[in-house]
Structure formats: C-alpha cells, structure tokens
Amino acid sequence: MQLNDKILLLRKKKGWSQEQLADQVGVSRQSVSKWESGNAMPDLDKIVVLSRIFNVTTDYLLKDDAPPQSGNPGENDAAEAGDPGAFTQGTAVRFMGMGEAQSYLVMVRRYGLWVSFGVMLCILSPCPLVLLGGLSETFLPQMGENAAGVIGVIILLFMIAAAVLLFIVCEMRFKQFDYIKARGFLLDGETGVCVAEEKEAFEPKYTIFIGTGVVLCILGIVPIMCAALLPEGPVQEMAGCMATVFLLVMVSVGVFLFIRIGLIYEALNLLLKGYE
C-alpha cells in the first residue's frame, strides 16, 4: 500500500473529513486531497505530524511493506469516536479503483433508467381505465361500463406487473454492489478526485432536470382547470377524462426525471462517502 492510500485509510478509520485532518496537520484541505490522490507528497515535517496523529511509525507511512506500530492503526480511535460511518475492527476494507467505480456508475445509469420507467408505468397504469370509462359514458355507450372497467383493470394489472418485474431485475443486478451501500469501501485518491470532478460537472444537469420535472408536474393541472370551464355534458366529461390522463402523463414524466437524475446524483454522493 502506498503513502497516499495509507493516509486515506488512516483518516477514514479515524472518521475524519479531509478538512478535519488538514486542521490538525496545519495545511489546507486541498493539500490533503493532493496527498490522497498521489499528486503531491507531504513534507518530512508533515510526515512526522501524521505519524503522531495516527499513532503509527514514519516507517509505516514511508515504506510500502512496513508494519504499523501496533496492531491495526486507528481502528480503536474510530470506534471510540462513535462515528457509525467509520471503519472499526473487523470491518472489511475494500479499495475501489477507477474501473470499479465507473462500472457502478454505468450500472446505475443503465438500470436506473429501468427503475424510472417502472415507476412511470405505475403512474400511467390508471390511464386506460380512465379513458375507457369516459368513452363508455359518452361516445361509446355500447361498450358498457362493466366491459370498460374490466378491460381497464386488466391493462392496469399488466402495467403494474411489468413495473414490478423491472424492479426485481434491477434489485438483483445491484446486489453485487451492496458493499457500497454498507460503506465497506474506500476510493483510492485518484479515483476520489475524478468522482468529485464528475459530480461537480453533473450538478448543473441535475438542477435542470429537477426544475423541469417540477414545472411539468405543476403544468399538468392546467387542462383539468380548463375542462371545468366547459358546459356540462358529454364533451365536458370526455375533456375531464383526457385532462386527467394528461395530468398523469405530465406527472409520470416529471417523476421519471426526478428518479433518473436522482439515482445518478445519489450514486456519486455514495461513492464520495468513501473518499471525503
């Protein structure tokens, strides 16, 4: 294990942020970030300070194969700090490199799309029932309310079943990354910097998608208000049904955007839990 990974591991075992470690060493947070990413080396006097703070020898920090001063360094400190996210004795620590982090993000983007579509199906599932009910009462009375209701419910159940199947498949696919949710990992320094930069670049897109979803949900109510202005009769009833379907479509698209973009943003934040 190299120096940058040792600093990262010891800091996480203490349950400290980069800023907290920087304050104790007397440097900036950016300096700690560069140390952990391997883009810079701490000066000799800072090595001595780090060894004292982490209760390890300077040999352990500087030599790849040097053992720590006693036992596993920093583990008991993290436990005593009471930080539930800190690594304590007996916790399996897994270093995640760039390839593994990108594989996780690719899977989130791919199967997050399926999850979003499944939720969209659930929201849209009443639409056939509403439309058929409106048609049976206005322009297609020969269909009959019972037949319209049965057909609408059957379509609804098929849509719900398809959504549930998507949820089950996605849950099974994500099983291999359960250790990320349990925070049983650490990003190596270079990967942590790249993920942080990717999150920063992603934030404007996140804001746009969330804003668009909110606007769609708000505008979805407009046709219902307009339908209420029509004179009573079959036209108004059908317009009300169409307006309800339009509302469900707008809400489903808005929720699709919320979930789609939210899952990616959450995944980036979750990865950074193993670095910051």
PDB file of all heavy atoms in Angstrom, residues 54-90:
ATOM      1  N   PHE A  54      -1.751   9.774  13.791  1.00  0.00           N
ATOM      2  CA  PHE A  54      -2.332   8.458  13.545  1.00  0.00           C
ATOM      3  C   PHE A  54      -1.762   7.370  14.449  1.00  0.00           C
ATOM      4  O   PHE A  54      -2.191   6.208  14.368  1.00  0.00           O
ATOM      5  CB  PHE A  54      -2.115   8.062  12.077  1.00  0.00           C
ATOM      6  CG  PHE A  54      -2.895   8.889  11.091  1.00  0.00           C
ATOM      7  CD1 PHE A  54      -2.273   9.411   9.963  1.00  0.00           C
ATOM      8  CD2 PHE A  54      -4.238   9.148  11.286  1.00  0.00           C
ATOM      9  CE1 PHE A  54      -2.980  10.168   9.045  1.00  0.00           C
ATOM     10  CE2 PHE A  54      -4.965   9.893  10.372  1.00  0.00           C
ATOM     11  CZ  PHE A  54      -4.328  10.415   9.259  1.00  0.00           C
ATOM     12  N   ASN A  55      -0.765   7.735  15.268  1.00  0.00           N
ATOM     13  CA  ASN A  55      -0.146   6.772  16.181  1.00  0.00           C
ATOM     14  C   ASN A  55       0.471   5.600  15.424  1.00  0.00           C
ATOM     15  O   ASN A  55       0.280   4.432  15.761  1.00  0.00           O
ATOM     16  CB  ASN A  55      -1.166   6.270  17.210  1.00  0.00           C
ATOM     17  CG  ASN A  55      -0.486   5.533  18.352  1.00  0.00           C
ATOM     18  OD1 ASN A  55       0.672   5.803  18.697  1.00  0.00           O
ATOM     19  ND2 ASN A  55      -1.190   4.583  18.945  1.00  0.00           N
ATOM     20  N   VAL A  56       1.219   5.933  14.366  1.00  0.00           N
ATOM     21  CA  VAL A  56       1.950   4.921  13.600  1.00  0.00           C
ATOM     22  C   VAL A  56       3.382   5.425  13.431  1.00  0.00           C
ATOM     23  O   VAL A  56       3.679   6.595  13.677  1.00  0.00           O
ATOM     24  CB  VAL A  56       1.312   4.679  12.218  1.00  0.00           C
ATOM     25  CG1 VAL A  56      -0.076   4.086  12.353  1.00  0.00           C
ATOM     26  CG2 VAL A  56       1.266   5.969  11.400  1.00  0.00           C
ATOM     27  N   THR A  57       4.257   4.552  12.998  1.00  0.00           N
ATOM     28  CA  THR A  57       5.650   4.953  12.776  1.00  0.00           C
ATOM     29  C   THR A  57       5.793   5.640  11.425  1.00  0.00           C
ATOM     30  O   THR A  57       4.989   5.421  10.509  1.00  0.00           O
ATOM     31  CB  THR A  57       6.577   3.731  12.815  1.00  0.00           C
ATOM     32  OG1 THR A  57       6.232   2.848  11.744  1.00  0.00           O
ATOM     33  CG2 THR A  57       6.444   3.005  14.144  1.00  0.00           C
ATOM     34  N   THR A  58       6.846   6.444  11.298  1.00  0.00           N
ATOM     35  CA  THR A  58       7.121   7.056   9.995  1.00  0.00           C
ATOM     36  C   THR A  58       7.513   6.000   8.973  1.00  0.00           C
ATOM     37  O   THR A  58       7.250   6.157   7.779  1.00  0.00           O
ATOM     38  CB  THR A  58       8.249   8.103  10.123  1.00  0.00           C
ATOM     39  OG1 THR A  58       9.397   7.486  10.730  1.00  0.00           O
ATOM     40  CG2 THR A  58       7.797   9.286  10.965  1.00  0.00           C
ATOM     41  N   ASP A  59       8.134   4.919   9.447  1.00  0.00           N
ATOM     42  CA  ASP A  59       8.467   3.818   8.528  1.00  0.00           C
ATOM     43  C   ASP A  59       7.210   3.232   7.901  1.00  0.00           C
ATOM     44  O   ASP A  59       7.191   2.889   6.713  1.00  0.00           O
ATOM     45  CB  ASP A  59       9.227   2.714   9.277  1.00  0.00           C
ATOM     46  CG  ASP A  59      10.707   3.051   9.435  1.00  0.00           C
ATOM     47  OD1 ASP A  59      11.152   4.026   8.793  1.00  0.00           O
ATOM     48  OD2 ASP A  59      11.402   2.358  10.199  1.00  0.00           O
ATOM     49  N   TYR A  60       6.164   3.098   8.716  1.00  0.00           N
ATOM     50  CA  TYR A  60       4.898   2.551   8.191  1.00  0.00           C
ATOM     51  C   TYR A  60       4.352   3.436   7.076  1.00  0.00           C
ATOM     52  O   TYR A  60       3.852   2.949   6.062  1.00  0.00           O
ATOM     53  CB  TYR A  60       3.871   2.422   9.309  1.00  0.00           C
ATOM     54  CG  TYR A  60       2.488   2.084   8.804  1.00  0.00           C
ATOM     55  CD1 TYR A  60       2.188   0.812   8.330  1.00  0.00           C
ATOM     56  CD2 TYR A  60       1.476   3.054   8.777  1.00  0.00           C
ATOM     57  CE1 TYR A  60       0.925   0.509   7.841  1.00  0.00           C
ATOM     58  CE2 TYR A  60       0.220   2.758   8.292  1.00  0.00           C
ATOM     59  CZ  TYR A  60      -0.053   1.485   7.827  1.00  0.00           C
ATOM     60  OH  TYR A  60      -1.301   1.192   7.337  1.00  0.00           O
ATOM     61  N   LEU A  61       4.475   4.751   7.255  1.00  0.00           N
ATOM     62  CA  LEU A  61       3.954   5.674   6.249  1.00  0.00           C
ATOM     63  C   LEU A  61       4.801   5.680   4.985  1.00  0.00           C
ATOM     64  O   LEU A  61       4.268   5.730   3.865  1.00  0.00           O
ATOM     65  CB  LEU A  61       3.865   7.092   6.818  1.00  0.00           C
ATOM     66  CG  LEU A  61       2.841   7.324   7.936  1.00  0.00           C
ATOM     67  CD1 LEU A  61       2.982   8.731   8.506  1.00  0.00           C
ATOM     68  CD2 LEU A  61       1.427   7.101   7.414  1.00  0.00           C
ATOM     69  N   LEU A  62       6.113   5.602   5.142  1.00  0.00           N
ATOM     70  CA  LEU A  62       7.015   5.799   4.009  1.00  0.00           C
ATOM     71  C   LEU A  62       7.359   4.523   3.261  1.00  0.00           C
ATOM     72  O   LEU A  62       7.677   4.572   2.077  1.00  0.00           O
ATOM     73  CB  LEU A  62       8.300   6.479   4.491  1.00  0.00           C
ATOM     74  CG  LEU A  62       8.123   7.904   5.040  1.00  0.00           C
ATOM     75  CD1 LEU A  62       9.416   8.413   5.638  1.00  0.00           C
ATOM     76  CD2 LEU A  62       7.654   8.827   3.923  1.00  0.00           C
ATOM     77  N   LYS A  63       7.309   3.374   3.956  1.00  0.00           N
ATOM     78  CA  LYS A  63       7.689   2.117   3.324  1.00  0.00           C
ATOM     79  C   LYS A  63       6.445   1.290   3.008  1.00  0.00           C
ATOM     80  O   LYS A  63       5.576   1.123   3.854  1.00  0.00           O
ATOM     81  CB  LYS A  63       8.626   1.320   4.235  1.00  0.00           C
ATOM     82  CG  LYS A  63       9.958   2.032   4.495  1.00  0.00           C
ATOM     83  CD  LYS A  63      10.854   1.198   5.405  1.00  0.00           C
ATOM     84  CE  LYS A  63      12.189   1.897   5.673  1.00  0.00           C
ATOM     85  NZ  LYS A  63      13.057   1.106   6.571  1.00  0.00           N
ATOM     86  N   ASP A  64       6.404   0.769   1.796  1.00  0.00           N
ATOM     87  CA  ASP A  64       5.223   0.023   1.359  1.00  0.00           C
ATOM     88  C   ASP A  64       4.972  -1.222   2.195  1.00  0.00           C
ATOM     89  O   ASP A  64       3.827  -1.605   2.423  1.00  0.00           O
ATOM     90  CB  ASP A  64       5.368  -0.382  -0.117  1.00  0.00           C
ATOM     91  CG  ASP A  64       5.321   0.828  -1.035  1.00  0.00           C
ATOM     92  OD1 ASP A  64       4.921   1.909  -0.558  1.00  0.00           O
ATOM     93  OD2 ASP A  64       5.671   0.689  -2.225  1.00  0.00           O
ATOM     94  N   ASP A  65       6.038  -1.888   2.630  1.00  0.00           N
ATOM     95  CA  ASP A  65       5.874  -3.162   3.331  1.00  0.00           C
ATOM     96  C   ASP A  65       6.100  -3.040   4.835  1.00  0.00           C
ATOM     97  O   ASP A  65       6.194  -4.054   5.538  1.00  0.00           O
ATOM     98  CB  ASP A  65       6.829  -4.210   2.758  1.00  0.00           C
ATOM     99  CG  ASP A  65       8.292  -3.751   2.817  1.00  0.00           C
ATOM    100  OD1 ASP A  65       8.517  -2.550   3.121  1.00  0.00           O
ATOM    101  OD2 ASP A  65       9.176  -4.576   2.544  1.00  0.00           O
ATOM    102  N   ALA A  66       6.193  -1.818   5.363  1.00  0.00           N
ATOM    103  CA  ALA A  66       6.450  -1.662   6.793  1.00  0.00           C
ATOM    104  C   ALA A  66       5.189  -1.896   7.596  1.00  0.00           C
ATOM    105  O   ALA A  66       4.110  -1.423   7.225  1.00  0.00           O
ATOM    106  CB  ALA A  66       6.990  -0.260   7.087  1.00  0.00           C
ATOM    107  N   PRO A  67       5.283  -2.655   8.714  1.00  0.00           N
ATOM    108  CA  PRO A  67       4.100  -2.889   9.550  1.00  0.00           C
ATOM    109  C   PRO A  67       3.792  -1.647  10.375  1.00  0.00           C
ATOM    110  O   PRO A  67       4.666  -0.837  10.659  1.00  0.00           O
ATOM    111  CB  PRO A  67       4.525  -4.047  10.447  1.00  0.00           C
ATOM    112  CG  PRO A  67       6.006  -3.881  10.571  1.00  0.00           C
ATOM    113  CD  PRO A  67       6.482  -3.338   9.255  1.00  0.00           C
ATOM    114  N   PRO A  68       2.526  -1.473  10.814  1.00  0.00           N
ATOM    115  CA  PRO A  68       2.195  -0.373  11.703  1.00  0.00           C
ATOM    116  C   PRO A  68       2.841  -0.565  13.059  1.00  0.00           C
ATOM    117  O   PRO A  68       3.348  -1.640  13.388  1.00  0.00           O
ATOM    118  CB  PRO A  68       0.665  -0.435  11.793  1.00  0.00           C
ATOM    119  CG  PRO A  68       0.329  -1.846  11.465  1.00  0.00           C
ATOM    120  CD  PRO A  68       1.377  -2.305  10.485  1.00  0.00           C
ATOM    121  N   GLN A  69       2.785   0.466  13.890  1.00  0.00           N
ATOM    122  CA  GLN A  69       3.458   0.420  15.190  1.00  0.00           C
ATOM    123  C   GLN A  69       2.887  -0.681  16.072  1.00  0.00           C
ATOM    124  O   GLN A  69       3.616  -1.396  16.734  1.00  0.00           O
ATOM    125  CB  GLN A  69       3.312   1.787  15.885  1.00  0.00           C
ATOM    126  CG  GLN A  69       4.106   1.900  17.172  1.00  0.00           C
ATOM    127  CD  GLN A  69       4.003   3.291  17.763  1.00  0.00           C
ATOM    128  OE1 GLN A  69       2.960   3.915  17.689  1.00  0.00           O
ATOM    129  NE2 GLN A  69       5.087   3.781  18.344  1.00  0.00           N
ATOM    130  N   SER A  70       1.582  -0.789  16.107  1.00  0.00           N
ATOM    131  CA  SER A  70       0.956  -1.834  16.925  1.00  0.00           C
ATOM    132  C   SER A  70      -0.424  -2.128  16.391  1.00  0.00           C
ATOM    133  O   SER A  70      -1.257  -1.235  16.293  1.00  0.00           O
ATOM    134  CB  SER A  70       0.850  -1.389  18.396  1.00  0.00           C
ATOM    135  OG  SER A  70       0.086  -0.216  18.519  1.00  0.00           O
ATOM    136  N   GLY A  71      -0.647  -3.402  16.035  1.00  0.00           N
ATOM    137  CA  GLY A  71      -1.973  -3.825  15.594  1.00  0.00           C
ATOM    138  C   GLY A  71      -2.384  -3.104  14.324  1.00  0.00           C
ATOM    139  O   GLY A  71      -1.574  -2.740  13.490  1.00  0.00           O
ATOM    140  N   ASN A  72      -3.687  -2.874  14.184  1.00  0.00           N
ATOM    141  CA  ASN A  72      -4.235  -2.168  13.050  1.00  0.00           C
ATOM    142  C   ASN A  72      -4.427  -0.719  13.435  1.00  0.00           C
ATOM    143  O   ASN A  72      -5.219  -0.415  14.318  1.00  0.00           O
ATOM    144  CB  ASN A  72      -5.583  -2.772  12.630  1.00  0.00           C
ATOM    145  CG  ASN A  72      -5.402  -4.164  12.076  1.00  0.00           C
ATOM    146  OD1 ASN A  72      -4.442  -4.428  11.371  1.00  0.00           O
ATOM    147  ND2 ASN A  72      -6.317  -5.051  12.418  1.00  0.00           N
ATOM    148  N   PRO A  73      -3.721   0.205  12.820  1.00  0.00           N
ATOM    149  CA  PRO A  73      -3.704   1.583  13.265  1.00  0.00           C
ATOM    150  C   PRO A  73      -5.044   2.263  13.104  1.00  0.00           C
ATOM    151  O   PRO A  73      -5.716   2.112  12.111  1.00  0.00           O
ATOM    152  CB  PRO A  73      -2.682   2.235  12.322  1.00  0.00           C
ATOM    153  CG  PRO A  73      -2.704   1.403  11.099  1.00  0.00           C
ATOM    154  CD  PRO A  73      -2.959   0.020  11.572  1.00  0.00           C
ATOM    155  N   GLY A  74      -5.412   3.030  14.156  1.00  0.00           N
ATOM    156  CA  GLY A  74      -6.558   3.902  14.044  1.00  0.00           C
ATOM    157  C   GLY A  74      -7.902   3.259  14.235  1.00  0.00           C
ATOM    158  O   GLY A  74      -8.915   3.931  14.289  1.00  0.00           O
ATOM    159  N   GLU A  75      -7.968   1.943  14.341  1.00  0.00           N
ATOM    160  CA  GLU A  75      -9.273   1.301  14.397  1.00  0.00           C
ATOM    161  C   GLU A  75     -10.001   1.639  15.693  1.00  0.00           C
ATOM    162  O   GLU A  75     -11.183   1.972  15.687  1.00  0.00           O
ATOM    163  CB  GLU A  75      -9.128  -0.218  14.262  1.00  0.00           C
ATOM    164  CG  GLU A  75      -8.755  -0.652  12.853  1.00  0.00           C
ATOM    165  CD  GLU A  75      -8.618  -2.147  12.733  1.00  0.00           C
ATOM    166  OE1 GLU A  75      -8.505  -2.819  13.754  1.00  0.00           O
ATOM    167  OE2 GLU A  75      -8.632  -2.630  11.598  1.00  0.00           O
ATOM    168  N   ASN A  76      -9.304   1.528  16.820  1.00  0.00           N
ATOM    169  CA  ASN A  76      -9.964   1.785  18.080  1.00  0.00           C
ATOM    170  C   ASN A  76     -10.381   3.239  18.214  1.00  0.00           C
ATOM    171  O   ASN A  76     -11.387   3.547  18.848  1.00  0.00           O
ATOM    172  CB  ASN A  76      -9.044   1.396  19.249  1.00  0.00           C
ATOM    173  CG  ASN A  76      -8.781  -0.097  19.277  1.00  0.00           C
ATOM    174  OD1 ASN A  76      -9.632  -0.865  18.844  1.00  0.00           O
ATOM    175  ND2 ASN A  76      -7.627  -0.501  19.773  1.00  0.00           N
ATOM    176  N   ASP A  77      -9.599   4.165  17.618  1.00  0.00           N
ATOM    177  CA  ASP A  77      -9.944   5.571  17.685  1.00  0.00           C
ATOM    178  C   ASP A  77     -11.274   5.830  17.010  1.00  0.00           C
ATOM    179  O   ASP A  77     -12.084   6.612  17.472  1.00  0.00           O
ATOM    180  CB  ASP A  77      -8.864   6.426  17.010  1.00  0.00           C
ATOM    181  CG  ASP A  77      -7.515   6.268  17.703  1.00  0.00           C
ATOM    182  OD1 ASP A  77      -7.501   6.308  18.936  1.00  0.00           O
ATOM    183  OD2 ASP A  77      -6.505   6.089  17.010  1.00  0.00           O
ATOM    184  N   ALA A  78     -11.486   5.184  15.869  1.00  0.00           N
ATOM    185  CA  ALA A  78     -12.740   5.388  15.162  1.00  0.00           C
ATOM    186  C   ALA A  78     -13.901   4.863  15.968  1.00  0.00           C
ATOM    187  O   ALA A  78     -14.982   5.455  16.007  1.00  0.00           O
ATOM    188  CB  ALA A  78     -12.684   4.688  13.788  1.00  0.00           C
ATOM    189  N   ALA A  79     -13.713   3.731  16.614  1.00  0.00           N
ATOM    190  CA  ALA A  79     -14.792   3.168  17.413  1.00  0.00           C
ATOM    191  C   ALA A  79     -15.123   4.062  18.582  1.00  0.00           C
ATOM    192  O   ALA A  79     -16.292   4.274  18.930  1.00  0.00           O
ATOM    193  CB  ALA A  79     -14.391   1.773  17.900  1.00  0.00           C
ATOM    194  N   GLU A  80     -14.040   4.621  19.231  1.00  0.00           N
ATOM    195  CA  GLU A  80     -14.280   5.471  20.381  1.00  0.00           C
ATOM    196  C   GLU A  80     -14.956   6.773  19.980  1.00  0.00           C
ATOM    197  O   GLU A  80     -15.686   7.390  20.749  1.00  0.00           O
ATOM    198  CB  GLU A  80     -12.938   5.769  21.068  1.00  0.00           C
ATOM    199  CG  GLU A  80     -12.338   4.543  21.745  1.00  0.00           C
ATOM    200  CD  GLU A  80     -10.911   4.806  22.207  1.00  0.00           C
ATOM    201  OE1 GLU A  80     -10.445   5.953  22.044  1.00  0.00           O
ATOM    202  OE2 GLU A  80     -10.285   3.872  22.727  1.00  0.00           O
ATOM    203  N   ALA A  81     -14.708   7.219  18.743  1.00  0.00           N
ATOM    204  CA  ALA A  81     -15.327   8.460  18.292  1.00  0.00           C
ATOM    205  C   ALA A  81     -16.827   8.318  18.100  1.00  0.00           C
ATOM    206  O   ALA A  81     -17.549   9.300  18.034  1.00  0.00           O
ATOM    207  CB  ALA A  81     -14.682   8.901  16.972  1.00  0.00           C
ATOM    208  N   GLY A  82     -17.300   7.078  18.011  1.00  0.00           N
ATOM    209  CA  GLY A  82     -18.725   6.840  17.882  1.00  0.00           C
ATOM    210  C   GLY A  82     -19.282   7.179  16.512  1.00  0.00           C
ATOM    211  O   GLY A  82     -20.465   7.429  16.364  1.00  0.00           O
ATOM    212  N   ASP A  83     -18.428   7.255  15.503  1.00  0.00           N
ATOM    213  CA  ASP A  83     -18.877   7.570  14.162  1.00  0.00           C
ATOM    214  C   ASP A  83     -19.374   6.297  13.499  1.00  0.00           C
ATOM    215  O   ASP A  83     -18.617   5.378  13.242  1.00  0.00           O
ATOM    216  CB  ASP A  83     -17.713   8.153  13.352  1.00  0.00           C
ATOM    217  CG  ASP A  83     -18.120   8.524  11.939  1.00  0.00           C
ATOM    218  OD1 ASP A  83     -19.308   8.374  11.619  1.00  0.00           O
ATOM    219  OD2 ASP A  83     -17.242   8.980  11.186  1.00  0.00           O
ATOM    220  N   PRO A  84     -20.695   6.220  13.161  1.00  0.00           N
ATOM    221  CA  PRO A  84     -21.216   4.991  12.567  1.00  0.00           C
ATOM    222  C   PRO A  84     -20.649   4.715  11.200  1.00  0.00           C
ATOM    223  O   PRO A  84     -20.680   3.591  10.718  1.00  0.00           O
ATOM    224  CB  PRO A  84     -22.729   5.266  12.478  1.00  0.00           C
ATOM    225  CG  PRO A  84     -22.849   6.751  12.471  1.00  0.00           C
ATOM    226  CD  PRO A  84     -21.711   7.239  13.321  1.00  0.00           C
ATOM    227  N   GLY A  85     -20.103   5.740  10.529  1.00  0.00           N
ATOM    228  CA  GLY A  85     -19.552   5.523   9.199  1.00  0.00           C
ATOM    229  C   GLY A  85     -18.093   5.166   9.225  1.00  0.00           C
ATOM    230  O   GLY A  85     -17.488   4.904   8.199  1.00  0.00           O
ATOM    231  N   ALA A  86     -17.469   5.206  10.414  1.00  0.00           N
ATOM    232  CA  ALA A  86     -16.041   4.923  10.489  1.00  0.00           C
ATOM    233  C   ALA A  86     -15.782   3.429  10.418  1.00  0.00           C
ATOM    234  O   ALA A  86     -16.620   2.616  10.775  1.00  0.00           O
ATOM    235  CB  ALA A  86     -15.474   5.500  11.785  1.00  0.00           C
ATOM    236  N   PHE A  87     -14.570   3.066   9.983  1.00  0.00           N
ATOM    237  CA  PHE A  87     -14.181   1.668   9.929  1.00  0.00           C
ATOM    238  C   PHE A  87     -13.694   1.242  11.305  1.00  0.00           C
ATOM    239  O   PHE A  87     -12.798   1.850  11.883  1.00  0.00           O
ATOM    240  CB  PHE A  87     -13.068   1.466   8.906  1.00  0.00           C
ATOM    241  CG  PHE A  87     -13.534   1.690   7.507  1.00  0.00           C
ATOM    242  CD1 PHE A  87     -13.333   2.906   6.881  1.00  0.00           C
ATOM    243  CD2 PHE A  87     -14.196   0.692   6.819  1.00  0.00           C
ATOM    244  CE1 PHE A  87     -13.763   3.119   5.591  1.00  0.00           C
ATOM    245  CE2 PHE A  87     -14.633   0.894   5.517  1.00  0.00           C
ATOM    246  CZ  PHE A  87     -14.413   2.115   4.911  1.00  0.00           C
ATOM    247  N   THR A  88     -14.287   0.198  11.817  1.00  0.00           N
ATOM    248  CA  THR A  88     -13.907  -0.322  13.119  1.00  0.00           C
ATOM    249  C   THR A  88     -13.318  -1.708  12.965  1.00  0.00           C
ATOM    250  O   THR A  88     -13.341  -2.298  11.891  1.00  0.00           O
ATOM    251  CB  THR A  88     -15.126  -0.375  14.058  1.00  0.00           C
ATOM    252  OG1 THR A  88     -16.152  -1.126  13.435  1.00  0.00           O
ATOM    253  CG2 THR A  88     -15.650   1.032  14.338  1.00  0.00           C
ATOM    254  N   GLN A  89     -12.814  -2.213  14.040  1.00  0.00           N
ATOM    255  CA  GLN A  89     -12.134  -3.513  13.981  1.00  0.00           C
ATOM    256  C   GLN A  89     -13.078  -4.588  13.474  1.00  0.00           C
ATOM    257  O   GLN A  89     -14.220  -4.678  13.903  1.00  0.00           O
ATOM    258  CB  GLN A  89     -11.612  -3.889  15.370  1.00  0.00           C
ATOM    259  CG  GLN A  89     -10.699  -5.106  15.346  1.00  0.00           C
ATOM    260  CD  GLN A  89      -9.967  -5.268  16.642  1.00  0.00           C
ATOM    261  OE1 GLN A  89     -10.159  -4.509  17.565  1.00  0.00           O
ATOM    262  NE2 GLN A  89      -9.133  -6.275  16.710  1.00  0.00           N
ATOM    263  N   GLY A  90     -12.590  -5.387  12.553  1.00  0.00           N
ATOM    264  CA  GLY A  90     -13.385  -6.465  11.985  1.00  0.00           C
ATOM    265  C   GLY A  90     -14.108  -6.064  10.715  1.00  0.00           C
ATOM    266  O   GLY A  90     -14.709  -6.896  10.072  1.00  0.00           O
TER     267      GLY A  90
END
